[in-house]
């Protein structure tokens, strides 16, 4: 084995180790945020942002360690699946938490969803015939 290949392997191993450590720390930070943050919206943020980046770094570390071309498309599909599903699930959890009052309104700086929810409640009340549009 020539010295240039050995040096390149050392740099790839070092980069892979850095990616693994940083990815693991990001995922750990997401887990700690889920346990420690005070309300639903803060926890939702902690569960989505660092987790996706941490997963990307861990998948990149795996790809670098495997040193084969065929593993990269599989890892890319796994990461794209996370990128597509995590925001949608976080949005759904946030909406359901908002509608069921599982958040601290005093922590919100702007409540852009309130008008939409009130309008939908009024429309539902009109269709049901209850009249006033207030929620039960």
């Amino acid at each position: 084995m020539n010295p240039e290949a050995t040096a390149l392997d050392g740099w790839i191993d070092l980069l892979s180790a850095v990616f693994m450590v940083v990815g693991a720390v990001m995922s750990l930070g997401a887990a700690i945020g889920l346990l420690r943050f005070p309300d639903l919206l803060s926890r939702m943020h902690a569960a989505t942002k660092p987790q996706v980046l941490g997963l990307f770094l861990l998948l990149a570390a795996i790809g670098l360690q495997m040193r084969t071309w065929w593993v990269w498309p599989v890892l890319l599909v796994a990461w794209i699946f996370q990128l597509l599903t995590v925001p949608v699930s976080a949005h759904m959890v946030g909406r359901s938490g908002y509608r069921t009052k599982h958040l601290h309104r005093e922590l919100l700086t702007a409540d852009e969803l309130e008008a939409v929810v009130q309008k939908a409640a009024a429309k539902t009340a009109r269709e049901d015939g209850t009249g006033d549009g207030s929620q039960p």
Side-chain angles (χ1 to χ4, degrees):
M1 190 174 236
N2 65 23
E4 292 174 4
T6 305
L8 182 62
D9 283 344
W11 283 108
I12 290 173
D13 287 342
L14 178 65
L15 184 63
S16 177
V18 168
F19 281 1
M20 279 189 225
V21 169
V22 173
V25 167
M26 299 278 301
S27 297
L28 178 65
I32 291 172
L34 280 174
L35 295 174
R36 302 284 303 188
F37 283 167
D39 67 329
L40 175 73
L41 298 178
S42 300
R43 289 178 181 171
M44 189 176 58
H45 179 77
T48 56
K49 304 292 183 195
Q51 184 267 335
V52 171
L53 180 59
L55 178 70
F56 170 72
L57 291 172
L58 288 172
L59 292 175
I62 291 169
L64 289 172
Q65 282 298 308
M66 296 288 287
R67 291 184 173 85
T68 57
W69 67 269
W70 61 266
V71 76
W72 284 98
V74 174
L75 297 175
L76 184 65
V77 166
W79 190 59
I80 288 173
F81 183 73
Q82 281 290 307
L83 281 177
L84 294 176
T85 58
V86 168
V88 173
S89 63
H91 177 76
M92 298 305 293
V93 168
R95 291 286 292 238
S96 66
Y98 185 90
R99 288 179 179 265
T100 58
K101 313 276 191 266
H102 284 91
L103 58 104
H104 297 285
R105 290 199 183 264
E106 67 274 2
L107 296 177
L108 295 176
T109 56
D111 190 0
E112 298 171 354
L113 191 57
E114 183 176 13
V116 175
V117 170
Q118 293 299 327
K119 184 178 177 182
K123 180 181 177 188
T124 303
R126 280 193 310 270
E127 290 173 357
D128 291 345
T130 58
D132 65 347
S134 63
Q135 292 180 338

